[in-house]
Every structure is written in C-alpha cells, then in structure tokens.
Amino acid sequence: MSQDDPRRAIPRTDALLAEPPLAAAAARLGRPPVRAAVTDAQDRARRGEIGPDEVAAAALAALPRRASTLTPVLNATGVVVHTNLGRAPLSPAAVEAVVEAAGYCDVELDLGTGGRGPRGQGARAALLEAVPGAGDALVVNNGAAALVLATTALAAGREVVVSRGEMVEIGDGFRLPDLVASTGARLREVGTTNRTHPQDYADAVGPDTGCVLKVHPSNFRVEGFVCAVGLPELRDLRRPDGSRVPLVADIGSGLLAPDPVLRDEPDAGTALRDGATVVTASGDKLLGGPQAGLVLGEEDAVRRLRRHPLARSLRVDKLTLAALEASVRAPSTPVRDAVHATADELRPRVERLATALGREVVPVTGRVGGGGAPGMPLPGWAVELPVEAVVRLREPAHGLPVVLARVEGGRGLVDVRCIPEDREDDLLAALRAALDEATEGRTP
Ligand SMILES: *Cc1c(COP(=O)(O)O)cnc(C)c1O
C-alpha cells in the first residue's frame, strides 16, 4: 500500500468504536454487532465502495435504530383497538407514568414506615373511584387471566354454569370452554346457541355449582330468533342449601361506566349494580390502558381471588400498574377519543392531507375492533391511494414512520381516526414518499 493510497485513511476499529454515535449504539445493542458493522464498513471502504470518511456513517446506518425489534406503526386502518397493532395506544400521561416507574419505585413499599406495603394500591384506588359500586378490585395480566382466576377461585372442582350461546372463541383459536376447563372446573352448559331462558339456569344449579358465568359476546352478534338472560334475572340463584351462587360477568371490553356512544357495550358499574358478584374485563380494549385483566366486585369474592395461590402467577408488573392507574384517572384516552371522533371532526384533517397530496377524500367506516362493539360502525373519511402505495407504506424508510393503511375494493384507504394529531405531518411525509415511489415503480 503506497503512502497516498486512500485506504490508509480508513479509520481504525478502536477509533470508530469510540465515536459517540457508535459508542451509543454499542451501549444500546452490545459491542459485537457494532464491531461487526464497523468491520463490514471498513471492508467496503477497502474495496473502494465508500470513502474513508463515510465508514462511521455506513456502520451506523447498518445498525438497528432501536434496542427492540418492535417497530412503531401509525394506524391508518380506522380500527381503533387493533390486536395486531398492540390494541390500545397509551396516552402521553400513561407513557410518562411508565417512564417514571421504570426505575426503582415504591410499588410494594410504604414510604411512611419504610416497611413493605401492599402492591398496586394506586391502580386499585383509581379503579374503585371509577367504579364506586365495587367493594374491591384486583389487577392481573389480561382478561383471560382474570376469568381463569375467577373460575378457579370460585368453582375449581365444581361446576361453572354457562349458556351455550356464550361458548365463544376469544380470538387466535383461544376458546372460552377450554379456558374454563383448564381451571379444573367442569362446564355445565345450558340453553341453546340462540336461546337461553332463566329456567335453564335455575334447573342447572345444584349443590355442586361453583358459579354462574355470563360472557359478553364481544366479537360477534347473533341476530334473529335470539334470547339471552340478563344479570338481574340471575342475581338471586341459590343452591339447594340456600347459599347464593356467585355470578361472574366477563364483560370483555373494560368500560368502567356507560359510554353514550357505545350503547350496547356492557360496563363494570352497571354489571355490578345488576347483580354480578365479580366482573372481569381487559385493560387494553375500550378502557384504553395497558394489557391487563381487571377484577371488580364484592369484597369477599375479590379477596378470595387475591388470596388464591394462582393470583401470584398472574401478577402484573409495576409498568402495567403505572400505565393502568394513569389511564383510569385520565379524563380521556386515545382509544376513547378515536371512538368518539365524529365524521365532521375528522373531515378537515383528511382534507388537509388529500389537498397536499392531490388525492381524493372518500367516506369510510371505521370499527372499534379488538372484541368490542362488533356491530357498531364508526363513520369517517379517508384519503384514497393506489394499492401499490399502501404496500410501500409498510416498508420502513429512513426517517419516515411505518404506516398501516387499509385496502378495500381495490384501493388503498388512509383513515386518520387513529392518527395522533401531532403525527399528521409525519404521516403526510410518509404518504408523499410512498406515492412518489409507487408512481415511479409503475410501468407505463
Ligand atoms: C377480549 C376478551 C377476553 C380476553 O381478554 P384478554 O385481555 O385478551 O385476555 C375475554 N372475554 C371477552 C368477552 C373478551 O372480549
């Protein structure tokens, strides 16, 4: 190699690894992948593919920008609680609470005495304030866990009476009968798929009944010759010895109080008033919080659940408790805002995008999704795009957000319902880039 060979100017590995952006990448990802990326970039410089002064930038560009492989996505599908996109997006207040709880925090410590304190008191207090009719509240990992814990604690080795019309599949092949059977309780099915009467329950209850279970059919609707039994009609079912049969209501969606827009969705407060002994629900559906399972109900029953050994294996993390408390206390959540956004409110936002891109505005129907309000349309507006552009939107491009849009009737649709207003300019940049690429890529 001669003195003036440019390859002599290729920075040494140690020097490159000491450069602040690469040192920061090593702190995030570990040294081996950063070293490999550096070696790779040096090789490219030796082959003359890049200049010696481009080695650091090339190494950096080859490394993932995040420590996690989870890629943030802008949800332009119009489906608010999108299970494949992580269900509820957290509010800024909930994100802040998570960040603050991420270090050491007093999740199980009484700062007054310096001794051990009960875990998760803040989230519990927030839930009890939001649902004054509940005697106690417990938070577990998810809605399925809340249901498993309730049926285990109240009915293991005994019977769970449930209507055939409520033997539902929650999603991802996960079936309620299998879930309940896994707890060691036996299912006692009553009624038929479309019709169940109060007498069906009364006939099934006996000395061996652990509880009656009511499941909200949250992801489908049965219409026509249908009849189901409401909680008020089941609240006073008694075993032959006169003891009251606990009534478990799995409401699914997690509304704590009635929502005027979601008139058909059950809520915890009403279910308890109607006679449920305990209500179970998800934290990351219409409640708009983190993944969690909520149990709200009569003090004695919730205490039985809390003291059951299984409760320990369903315990939630401090990050969940922080996000849940913040979400419950907040006046609104991103999920609630998106569900409540009217077509008139959404129109100017879509029009601004469409005008900037020279595209058309078309009417669309969004959905609550994720097992909530299955029959309820959410009228809104979308920017229309060619399908090729929708495909490009999913590909991570440098500096642009990944966008998930919808394809319907052979065209792409970008619904702004679930796009935070402060991300609209980012969305516009991504749409513009995708449209440019899609037009260039098209054969004339
Ligand atoms: C969603 C849902 C569940 C499961 O809750 P996860 O939080 O997903 O575990 C159970 N029951 C009903 C009625 C639901 O809608």
Side-chain angles (χ1 to χ4, degrees):
M1 208 188 284
S2 73
Q3 274 300 316
D4 53 358
D5 189 320
R7 285 174 297 180
R8 291 188 75 90
I10 296 172
R12 290 179 30 223
T13 308
D14 287 354
L16 286 164
L17 288 174
E19 285 202 16
L22 286 165
R28 194 172 65 226
L29 306 163
R31 233 171 132 84
V34 179
R35 182 181 279 276
V38 161
T39 309
D40 224 45
Q42 287 168 324
D43 286 346
R44 289 177 60 198
R46 278 188 206 103
R47 293 195 299 268
E49 293 166 24
I50 54 175
D53 53 344
E54 291 169 316
V55 175
L60 203 60
L63 289 165
R65 274 175 302 143
R66 281 176 224 97
S68 155
T69 52
L70 289 175
T71 305
V73 171
L74 288 180
N75 175 9
T77 63
V79 180
V80 181
V81 181
H82 198 304
T83 300
N84 302 145
L85 295 180
R87 288 196 182 157
L90 293 181
S91 66
V95 171
E96 200 181 305
V98 168
V99 170
E100 297 211 314
Y104 294 117
C105 67
D106 64 347
V107 66
E108 224 172 283
L109 185 83
D110 182 335
L111 287 174
T113 64
R116 189 179 166 171
R119 189 180 175 87
Q121 282 311 292
R124 177 173 169 271
L127 286 168
L128 293 179
E129 268 170 51
V131 188
D136 201 355
L138 177 66
V139 183
V140 292
N141 260 319
N142 52 34
L147 183 58
V148 163
L149 181 59
T151 50
T152 305
L154 301 175
R158 302 211 274 171
E159 287 182 350
V160 175
V161 178
V162 61
S163 161
R164 289 197 172 85
E166 296 171 12
M167 304 285 275
V168 301
E169 179 169 311
I170 294 163
D172 201 21
F174 208 47
R175 294 181 170 168
L176 184 102
D178 301 340
L179 199 66
V180 173
S182 76
T183 70
R186 295 185 305 281
L187 270 182
R188 174 78 184 256
E189 301 172 29
V190 299
T192 61
T193 304
N194 57 334
R195 292 176 75 86
T196 304
H197 304 278
Q199 195 59 40
D200 295 326
Y201 286 94
D203 291 346
V205 167
D208 217 20
T209 304
C211 66
V212 168
L213 171 63
K214 281 289 296 173
V215 182
H216 176 60
S218 52
N219 51 7
F220 68 101
R221 262 177 120 154
V222 183
E223 283 175 36
F225 188 54
V226 198
C227 127
V229 182
L231 294 170
E233 295 163 282
L234 300 172
R235 65 186 309 161
D236 284 321
L237 282 175
R238 287 176 190 272
R239 301 186 186 93
D241 66 2
S243 57
R244 196 160 62 92
V245 177
L247 182 52
V248 177
D250 174 11
I251 62 168
S253 68
L255 280 186
L256 299 179
D259 183 322
V261 168
L262 302 166
R263 247 178 259 117
D264 294 336
E265 276 301 298
D267 68 277
T270 305
L272 289 172
R273 203 159 44 249
D274 283 350
T277 315
V278 295
V279 171
T280 65
S282 292
D284 54 354
K285 293 181 179 171
L286 291 171
L287 182 79
Q291 180 189 300
L294 315 180
V295 180
L296 289 143
E298 291 174 14
E299 212 176 332
D300 289 354
V302 176
R303 189 185 309 123
R304 264 175 85 178
L305 268 61
R306 177 177 288 115
R307 292 198 178 151
H308 193 281
L310 183 61
R312 177 60 179 83
S313 62
L314 308 175
R315 186 174 93 173
V316 286
D317 172 47
K318 62 184 175 175
L319 303 181
T320 301
L321 290 168
L324 183 65
E325 181 178 355
S327 305
V328 172
R329 290 198 188 282
S332 193
T333 63
V335 164
R336 190 174 187 283
D337 293 345
V339 168
H340 282 239
T342 64
D344 283 351
E345 285 160 4
L346 295 168
R347 176 103 204 196
R349 296 180 58 193
V350 180
E351 244 154 32
R352 189 176 81 86
L353 292 175
T355 308
L357 297 165
R359 306 293 306 184
E360 240 183 277
V361 171
V362 294
V364 284
T365 307
R367 279 186 298 120
V368 173
M376 206 181 93
L378 300 173
W381 304 98
V383 181
E384 178 273 331
L385 294 181
V387 174
E388 305 86 81
V390 172
V391 177
R392 310 261 172 180
L393 283 170
R394 284 202 308 268
E395 294 162 4
H398 195 69
L400 292 174
V402 171
V403 180
L404 193 70
R406 203 156 92 199
V407 174
E408 211 175 82
R411 44 185 198 174
L413 298 171
V414 174
D415 189 327
V416 294
R417 180 178 298 278
C418 308
I419 307 288
E421 287 194 50
D422 63 358
R423 299 300 308 279
E424 259 170 38
D425 288 340
D426 294 337
L427 174 65
L428 181 59
L431 294 177
R432 200 168 260 144
L435 273 169
D436 285 351
E437 276 182 51
T439 338
E440 278 163 25
R442 202 180 282 165
T443 38

